[in-house]
Amino acid sequence: MYAPLAHEHHPYQHVDHPADAAAAAVDLVKVYGKGETQVRALDGVSVTFARARFTAIMGPSGSGKSTLMHCLAGLDRPTAGQALLAGTDLAGRSERELTRIRREQIGFVFQAFNLLPQLTAERNITLPLDLAGRRPDPELLRYLVTALGLAERLGHRPAELSGGQQQRVAIARALVSRPEVVFADEPTGNLDSRSGAQVLSVLREAVRELGQTVVMVTHDPGAAAHADRVVLLADGRVAGAIDRPDVASVTDALRRLAAGR
Ligand code: ADP
């Protein structure tokens, strides 16, 4: 599975060595609880997320999607195995180191936007960099603000913005630090279909135009169809992958998973 392939010859087979990938899990196990109530949320997951690709993680509810993303993003600690970010294992890092890694190397986009209500859109976008004592690249900031249609909204607070605009602020915030990976957790879950489609095309463009790596958890086949690749989970294991997904292929794969085939 980890034989490196030349991307030129296999443009849609994003199979990287885990150490070369933007993010990777190697035999990742996560067990919650103890004894009778123990849950094996991840049961030996090995998967790579290639650089400058848009990957969606899908699977039935409870299949381990959030747990996998949390382990890869340093928000949760695996029980066994490796969670690699740019080739570095997050296991064994102190809380302090994980906080720094999350701040400097990872961008997050959440279903609930998670903007600070008292700050303007602009301050929300630059906050993670401010906290890290870094200055935003002014050109990148200008590019993002324009590309995301936020130029007229920078002085607004979140309550003065629509859901779609708030999510675009959150995406600008995630992208402006040029993170190793952007992890998006159901980014369109709170949006109407038009704003959702806009957010997805923005994520896609970030991959195409900026070479950003994006990993998105979703249960919406329409959202997953925007990705380059879909990784399927079932019962805490990788159950398959779809390259160049479309709504039909994703819907069909999910139906088979639900039916246990
Ligand atoms: P998904 O995101 O695919 O719905 P999750 O990763 O949230 O799946 O959950 C996988 C399994 O782990 C589920 O059985 C869930 O109940 C369990 N689980 C997740 N988080 C916790 C937790 N903090 N404590 C106990 N069990 C958990």
Side-chain angles (χ1 to χ4, degrees), residues 32-33 39-42 59-68 76 217 233:
Y32 289 110
V39 176
R40 230 174 151 73
L42 298 177
S61 179
S63 58
K65 302 181 294 292
S66 306
T67 304
L68 174 60
D76 205 346
V217 168
L233 292 187

Side-chain angles (χ1 to χ4, degrees), residues 58-66 186 217-219 233-236 254 257-258:
M58 300 197 81
S61 179
S63 58
K65 302 181 294 292
S66 306
E186 299 280 3
V217 168
T218 182
H219 60 248
L233 292 187
D235 297 328
L254 289 176
L257 273 189

